Amino acid sequence: MSSRAPPKALLQDMVVPPRQLFGPGPSNMADSIAETQSKNLLGHLHPEFVQIMGDVRLGLQYIFKTDNNYTFAVSGTGHSGMECAMVNLLEPGDRFLVVEIGLWGQRAADLANRMGIEVKKISAPHGKAVPVEDIRKAISEYKPNLVFVCQGDSSTGVAQPLETIGDACREHGALFLVDTVASLGGTPFAADDLKVDCVYSATQKVLNAPPGLAPISFSDRAIEKIRNRKQRVASFYFDALELGNYWGCDGELKRYHHTAPISTVYALRAALSAIAKEGIDESIQRHKDNAQVLYSALKKNGLEPFVEDEKLRLPCLTTVKVPEGVDWKDVAGKMLTNGTEIAGGLGATVGKIWRIGTFGINSNKAKIENVVELLSNSIKETRSKI
Amino acid sequence: MSSRAPPKALLQDMVVPPRQLFGPGPSNMADSIAETQSKNLLGHLHPEFVQIMGDVRLGLQYIFKTDNNYTFAVSGTGHSGMECAMVNLLEPGDRFLVVEIGLWGQRAADLANRMGIEVKKISAPHGKAVPVEDIRKAISEYKPNLVFVCQGDSSTGVAQPLETIGDACREHGALFLVDTVASLGGTPFAADDLKVDCVYSATQKVLNAPPGLAPISFSDRAIEKIRNRKQRVASFYFDALELGNYWGCDGELKRYHHTAPISTVYALRAALSAIAKEGIDESIQRHKDNAQVLYSALKKNGLEPFVEDEKLRLPCLTTVKVPEGVDWKDVAGKMLTNGTEIAGGLGATVGKIWRIGTFGINSNKAKIENVVELLSNSIKETRSKI
């Protein structure tokens, strides 16, 4: 017998009850994605796996709408995409402009603080976007090296307009960084048309894949800045040039970098295959159409979206005002007990809103009407207790 | 139709041929682990998932042989464990001693260089370990803040003795960091007895789980140093105190940090369950016994281990000398075409050795004898061509 007793919990089977995941992510895995994860592992340098990595790169270029060579996935969750972008694109002495419409701007600013980088924030009251002209003005005045915008902030449900920001960045020598973790595939985005220099996302939202990879893409301008850094990137794990080589982006002989999360890469390929079969524009349109279904169902039940301007609402993640006198946590807890997740606020929005994610396969008319009915019933039950 | 044509490759099914993975990792997934990955996702804050994370923590304490509260898994592959350890335990002005017995010591030194940390290396010729008395002497003379040792270097197949290094670290105020990526579960290790302050590993070696998580543990001494840092950790993704909170190590209310790779955590739990059922000491003994099977089979076929001193051989990864006049790559390529992977060298050992991993379920007498037979036949075929 071993010198330590094994933990009793591990001698028992794992319990995984079924869940309808209508929170801010992870969303439900599609069956076609889930089944890939049980497939046997390949080595990360085997030709068949290299082929799968190549397919993933093509799929990511397709959904980001970019021809960037340096398009790949970081072996970490969504936030690792932010770190990968920032540790490569910022150097000591650089100036960083953050457009803050919720938690994600705050987090980018916090990370820059940790890195010792000077940060300027331009913020909107939560529930609103920052007017693009204000961003352009801030770029021309502050002359940042890098501008951060979160396209869809999962803490507020706001979709920040991006048009013309890329032009202002080019005019004033800044690089343009966009977080599409909660928005990609659910709201229009085109990296090259928008003149985006770096964009990252996550797998567990619209893509319906498990969390564990952060799709990312760097423009040639971004790669040029990285190649000309005065100091080496202070991370090996997130070094964009090393990762790009590992993913076959530079056409050079592949160097060993790390062991890719094989199963998660399989799942991402399956997710990209699903979106390729539907069409990226068709996916975006479906999310837009079903957001209308959600707004109607909310209205019918006397509930109101938190983001007042409909044009600024993220179609795949809707924030809903918690009615006066209702305990948001009690309602969400009751729904979860019954197998359906919606979430409360995050950061500054805690207590004020619920968040209903309708990502990928969950952007479906019948499912959405069902979730709102469950929400409405749970509110009634909670109220009747008072 | 979408404005961009979808990549043709993604309209086709993914090809995953079966493979016997006897390289340095990933190893083959056990069926009991593979099937967990297709289970439906839970939210990362759902009570059932929090329970699974708790089970994983207990399992990691069991295999690391530690009571450290700060025992959890970083959401990244093995190398992310190294980065997490180093960005938390090193500050500007610190001195770092690296014991180098192969690629992993070089990589730790390289990462410290990127971080602007002063590094001293103490190296052994590849295929040998550094004498422990030399390490103790270096600690007393150089007075480092942190000492890095790789217990089993996957580039050379050497197992570095660790005994008494922890005592020397305590005596001279250093923290003791050990990489067990390729050794944990396959060679004796006991974090608390060895006075280790930080240890990390990976899931895709002895544990037979997919890559994507880095088990890690910090001693109270290590956490105290982190709490008393003059500068904040320059990473949010790898911040040990934030990760510890997220994994429930500090007993405080859980803050949102990132979205855990749910499926990979399921798989890690299943892997830890398998090792709990066998017993950690029994797993180590089995790897030791089967290493003897491998040595005998090699000898019978006229092949020699690269590490001459049998006591310094890593039982779960054996390096084998490439005989004079044989093309290592041709042999490994032939084996892979036939569905079985062994690897060549890495870094300084390229061309000189093959590497045969016998991790977890692949540490099995019949499988090992079969691999050596395939190797021997492939060498003969290659030779007959010349």
Side-chain angles (χ1 to χ4, degrees):
Chain A
M1 223 186 86
S2 282
S3 53
R4 267 184 178 238
K8 281 192 188 128
L10 288 176
L11 305 178
Q12 289 166 356
D13 285 343
M14 180 172 72
V15 177
V16 181
R19 285 278 158 78
Q20 292 295 319
L21 300 174
F22 285 87
S27 59
N28 288 106
M29 263 199 290
D31 289 346
S32 63
I33 296 170
E35 64 93 14
T36 64
Q37 295 229 96
S38 294
K39 284 189 191 290
N40 66 279
L41 296 179
L42 292 171
H44 57 114
L45 302 171
H46 292 190
E48 293 84 357
F49 190 71
V50 171
Q51 175 68 47
I52 290 167
M53 290 172 88
D55 294 351
V56 165
R57 288 189 61 228
L58 291 173
L60 294 177
Q61 288 178 324
Y62 175 66
I63 62 171
F64 281 138
K65 298 195 176 177
T66 182
D67 295 322
N68 290 339
N69 272 327
Y70 277 77
T71 301
F72 54 90
V74 183
S75 295
T77 62
H79 179 80
S80 76
M82 182 193 282
E83 286 225 9
C84 181
M86 285 175 57
V87 298
N88 283 283
L89 298 176
L90 288 168
E91 285 205 85
D94 276 0
R95 284 188 306 280
F96 184 39
L97 177 69
V98 171
V99 176
E100 193 236 327
I101 57 169
L103 183 81
W104 298 99
Q106 290 166 25
R107 190 169 272 194
D110 177 70
L111 179 54
N113 282 329
R114 287 172 179 262
M115 293 167 60
I117 300 288
E118 189 193 310
V119 189
K120 186 180 168 63
K121 278 205 285 187
I122 172 168
S123 308
H126 293 166
K128 301 199 188 304
V130 179
V132 167
E133 53 272 33
D134 291 2
I135 300 173
R136 294 173 60 99
K137 193 160 167 264
I139 293 169
S140 73
E141 285 174 4
Y142 182 58
K143 303 234 184 320
N145 301 86
L146 183 67
V147 176
F148 171 91
V149 182
C150 181
Q151 188 189 24
D153 197 294
S154 63
S155 69
T156 57
V158 170
Q160 170 68 49
L162 301 174
E163 283 72 19
T164 76
I165 300 175
D167 297 298
C169 286
R170 296 230 174 151
E171 196 181 327
H172 297 282
L175 292 172
F176 182 24
L177 168 61
V178 182
D179 175 319
T180 62
V181 167
S183 58
L184 190 72
T187 194
F189 181 80
D192 292 356
D193 290 352
L194 289 165
K195 302 190 174 70
V196 170
D197 293 298
C198 182
V199 53
Y200 61 86
S201 192
T203 52
Q204 76 275 12
K205 309 265 182 174
V206 171
L207 292 178
N208 297 140
L213 284 167
I216 198 165
S217 182
F218 291 92
S219 71
D220 290 349
R221 285 179 84 222
I223 293 297
E224 198 194 327
K225 156 125 188 184
I226 298 170
R227 285 198 199 283
N228 291 312
R229 284 177 63 100
K230 289 178 209 85
Q231 287 193 13
R232 289 172 80 200
V233 173
S235 167
F236 179 81
Y237 197 67
F238 293 134
D239 185 310
L241 298 181
E242 292 296 327
L243 286 167
N245 170 270
Y246 184 67
W247 278 84
C249 304
D250 59 8
E252 289 176 24
L253 195 70
K254 228 169 137 154
R255 294 183 293 276
Y256 170 69
H257 183 265
H258 70 288
T259 303
I262 308 294
S263 305
T264 317
V265 175
Y266 291 170
L268 177 53
R269 188 200 181 280
L272 292 167
S273 179
I275 214 160
K277 285 171 186 169
E278 177 177 16
I280 180 68
D281 293 345
E282 288 74 4
S283 168
I284 290 163
Q285 186 62 45
R286 178 168 53 83
H287 285 84
K288 200 174 159 188
D289 293 345
N290 287 327
Q292 291 296 332
V293 171
L294 179 57
Y295 305 153
S296 300
L298 290 172
K299 197 171 177 185
K300 222 175 68 182
N301 286 281
L303 293 165
E304 273 179 89
F306 173 65
V307 180
E308 282 163 20
D309 184 347
E310 194 177 313
K311 290 193 304 294
L312 299 181
R313 289 183 201 150
L314 186 58
C316 46
L317 181 79
T318 301
T319 47
V320 179
K321 288 183 196 166
V322 176
E324 197 91 12
V326 171
D327 183 336
W328 71 271
K329 206 171 181 174
D330 202 7
V331 170
K334 202 179 293 287
M335 288 180 72
L336 189 61
T337 309
N338 292 322
T340 299
E341 176 194 39
I342 66 164
L346 186 65
T349 60
V350 168
K352 296 181 190 166
I353 61 169
W354 289 295
R355 298 184 293 158
I356 304 180
T358 48
F359 295 113
I361 55 172
N362 287 356
S363 174
N364 167 292
K365 189 169 184 286
K367 286 185 184 178
I368 288 169
E369 287 173 341
N370 182 46
V371 168
V372 178
E373 199 182 316
L374 291 172
L375 172 60
S376 173
N377 290 343
S378 301
I379 293 170
K380 279 176 204 148
E381 283 177 50
T382 312
R383 274 197 166 134
S384 69
K385 272 202 325 195
I386 305 170
Chain B
M1 223 187 85
S2 281
S3 54
R4 266 183 179 238
K8 280 190 191 131
L10 289 175
L11 305 179
Q12 288 166 356
D13 285 344
M14 181 171 72
V15 177
V16 181
R19 284 279 157 77
Q20 291 295 319
L21 300 174
F22 284 87
S27 59
N28 288 105
M29 264 200 289
D31 289 347
S32 64
I33 296 170
E35 66 92 13
T36 64
Q37 296 231 98
S38 294
K39 285 190 191 288
N40 66 279
L41 296 180
L42 292 171
H44 58 113
L45 303 170
H46 293 189
E48 293 83 357
F49 189 71
V50 170
Q51 175 67 49
I52 290 168
M53 291 172 87
D55 295 351
V56 165
R57 287 190 61 228
L58 291 172
L60 295 177
Q61 288 177 325
Y62 175 65
I63 60 170
F64 282 136
K65 299 196 177 179
T66 183
D67 296 321
N68 290 339
N69 272 328
Y70 277 78
T71 302
F72 54 88
V74 182
S75 295
T77 62
H79 179 80
S80 76
M82 182 193 283
E83 287 225 9
C84 181
M86 287 176 54
V87 300
N88 282 283
L89 297 177
L90 288 168
E91 286 205 84
D94 277 358
R95 284 189 305 281
F96 185 38
L97 177 69
V98 171
V99 176
E100 193 236 326
I101 57 168
L103 182 83
W104 299 99
Q106 291 167 24
R107 191 171 271 195
D110 177 70
L111 179 54
N113 281 331
R114 287 172 179 263
M115 293 166 62
I117 300 287
E118 190 194 310
V119 190
K120 185 179 168 62
K121 277 204 287 186
I122 172 167
S123 308
H126 293 166
K128 302 199 186 305
V130 179
V132 167
E133 52 271 34
D134 292 2
I135 300 174
R136 294 173 60 98
K137 191 158 169 267
I139 294 169
S140 72
E141 286 174 4
Y142 182 58
K143 301 236 185 316
N145 301 86
L146 183 67
V147 176
F148 171 92
V149 182
C150 181
Q151 188 190 21
D153 196 296
S154 64
S155 69
T156 58
V158 170
Q160 170 68 48
L162 301 174
E163 283 72 18
T164 76
I165 301 175
D167 297 297
C169 286
R170 294 230 176 148
E171 196 180 327
H172 296 283
L175 293 172
F176 183 24
L177 168 61
V178 181
D179 175 319
T180 63
V181 167
S183 59
L184 191 72
T187 195
F189 181 80
D192 291 357
D193 291 352
L194 289 165
K195 303 190 174 71
V196 170
D197 293 299
C198 183
V199 52
Y200 61 86
S201 192
T203 52
Q204 75 276 12
K205 311 264 182 175
V206 171
L207 292 177
N208 297 139
L213 284 167
I216 197 165
S217 183
F218 292 92
S219 72
D220 289 350
R221 286 178 84 220
I223 292 297
E224 198 194 327
K225 156 125 187 183
I226 298 169
R227 285 198 201 284
N228 291 312
R229 284 176 63 100
K230 290 179 208 83
Q231 287 193 15
R232 291 172 78 200
V233 173
S235 167
F236 180 81
Y237 196 68
F238 292 134
D239 185 310
L241 299 180
E242 292 296 326
L243 286 167
N245 170 271
Y246 183 68
W247 278 84
C249 304
D250 59 8
E252 289 175 23
L253 195 71
K254 228 170 135 152
R255 294 184 293 277
Y256 170 70
H257 183 264
H258 69 288
T259 303
I262 309 296
S263 304
T264 317
V265 176
Y266 291 169
L268 176 54
R269 189 201 180 279
L272 292 167
S273 179
I275 214 161
K277 285 172 186 168
E278 176 177 15
I280 178 69
D281 293 345
E282 289 74 4
S283 168
I284 290 163
Q285 187 61 46
R286 178 167 53 83
H287 284 83
K288 202 176 156 186
D289 294 345
N290 286 327
Q292 291 296 334
V293 172
L294 179 57
Y295 304 154
S296 301
L298 290 173
K299 197 172 176 185
K300 223 174 68 182
N301 285 281
L303 294 165
E304 272 179 87
F306 173 65
V307 180
E308 281 163 21
D309 185 347
E310 194 177 314
K311 290 193 304 294
L312 299 181
R313 288 182 202 151
L314 186 59
C316 45
L317 182 79
T318 302
T319 46
V320 179
K321 289 183 195 166
V322 176
E324 197 91 10
V326 172
D327 183 334
W328 72 271
K329 207 171 182 173
D330 202 6
V331 170
K334 202 179 293 288
M335 289 180 73
L336 189 61
T337 309
N338 293 323
T340 299
E341 176 194 38
I342 66 165
L346 187 63
T349 59
V350 168
K352 297 181 191 167
I353 61 169
W354 287 295
R355 297 184 293 158
I356 304 181
T358 49
F359 295 112
I361 55 173
N362 287 356
S363 173
N364 168 292
K365 189 170 184 285
K367 286 185 186 177
I368 288 170
E369 287 173 340
N370 183 45
V371 168
V372 177
E373 199 182 318
L374 291 173
L375 172 60
S376 173
N377 289 344
S378 300
I379 293 171
K380 279 178 205 147
E381 284 177 50
T382 312
R383 274 197 165 134
S384 70
K385 271 200 331 197
I386 305 168

